[in-house]
Amino acid sequence: MIPIRSMIISSVLLSKVDGEMKILLMKRVKGDFWCHVAGKIEANETASQAILREIKEETSIYPERLFSADYIEQFYEASENVIEMIPAFVGFCEDDQAVILNAEHTEYRWCSLTEAKALVVFSNQRKLYDFVWDNFVEHTPERLLEIK
């Protein structure tokens, strides 16, 4: 048996940089790979409260608009023999959004979809970015997914 667990949340942050929509990627200290914002839900937090806290902690950003991505990231964590289910969010940031990283990351880049997919190592990241781009950049996001 493989237990299923859901205690992590993630968010793809979007900003128009020099007039072009971009995805924020950060290079993690632990693991030395490129990723979007993610973190654990703390006691007595909802998923949306947790992702807003994680975005602020990791980037010093407070998104102008936050949406449920209507997408669940998933992967098998071999070290714990668990399938991790991760609700994803999408945060729209102000144009040319400034980023102040915390100690969890060494650098960041605002990337085009193509650049983001080339930087990340996990196939599920590329699938998430394609999904977000299609549903939140190329099409108007469904207003019912917006978190007020």
Side-chain angles (χ1 to χ4, degrees):
M1 183 171 119
I2 304 172
I4 296 175
R5 171 174 83 182
S6 185
M7 56 188 265
I8 299 173
I9 34 68
S10 75
S11 183
V12 174
L13 297 180
L14 301 170
S15 174
K16 278 192 179 176
V17 178
D18 298 326
E20 183 182 339
M21 192 62 80
K22 303 276 184 145
I23 297 172
L24 179 65
L25 290 186
M26 303 168 297
K27 195 168 194 182
R28 285 190 60 83
V29 170
K30 183 180 175 184
D32 193 39
F33 61 87
W34 290 93
C35 62
H36 47 283
V37 174
K40 290 185 178 177
I41 300 170
E42 294 180 353
N44 300 315
E45 276 185 324
T46 65
S48 59
Q49 290 168 335
I51 199 57
L52 286 170
R53 177 185 48 75
E54 286 290 340
I55 291 168
K56 186 163 178 42
E57 286 176 4
E58 293 185 16
T59 68
S60 295
I61 294 171
Y62 192 86
E64 294 180 329
R65 296 176 75 193
L66 182 69
F67 291 82
S68 165
D70 198 26
Y71 189 96
I72 304 292
E73 292 184 79
Q74 56 190 356
F75 67 92
Y76 173 67
E77 181 65 56
S79 65
E80 298 184 40
N81 187 45
V82 67
I83 296 171
E84 194 69 58
M85 306 293 283
I86 304 169
F89 294 84
V90 176
F92 284 90
C93 303
E94 66 183 37
D95 291 356
D96 300 302
Q97 175 70 61
V99 178
I100 301 171
L101 296 177
N102 68 0
E104 294 176 49
H105 302 92
T106 57
E107 58 184 298
Y108 74 90
R109 292 184 195 169
W110 286 105
C111 302
S112 68
L113 175 61
T114 302
E115 292 166 338
K117 288 169 55 178
L119 277 177
V120 296
V121 296
F122 300 109
S123 63
N124 278 327
Q125 289 173 296
R126 293 187 290 276
K127 290 175 191 173
L128 171 62
Y129 301 162
D130 279 334
F131 181 88
V132 166
W133 202 264
D134 181 38
N135 291 281
F136 291 86
V137 177
E138 292 180 355
H139 296 92
T140 302
E142 172 53 54
R143 65 179 180 80
L144 294 174
L145 295 175
E146 187 166 8
I147 297 167
K148 302 288 185 186

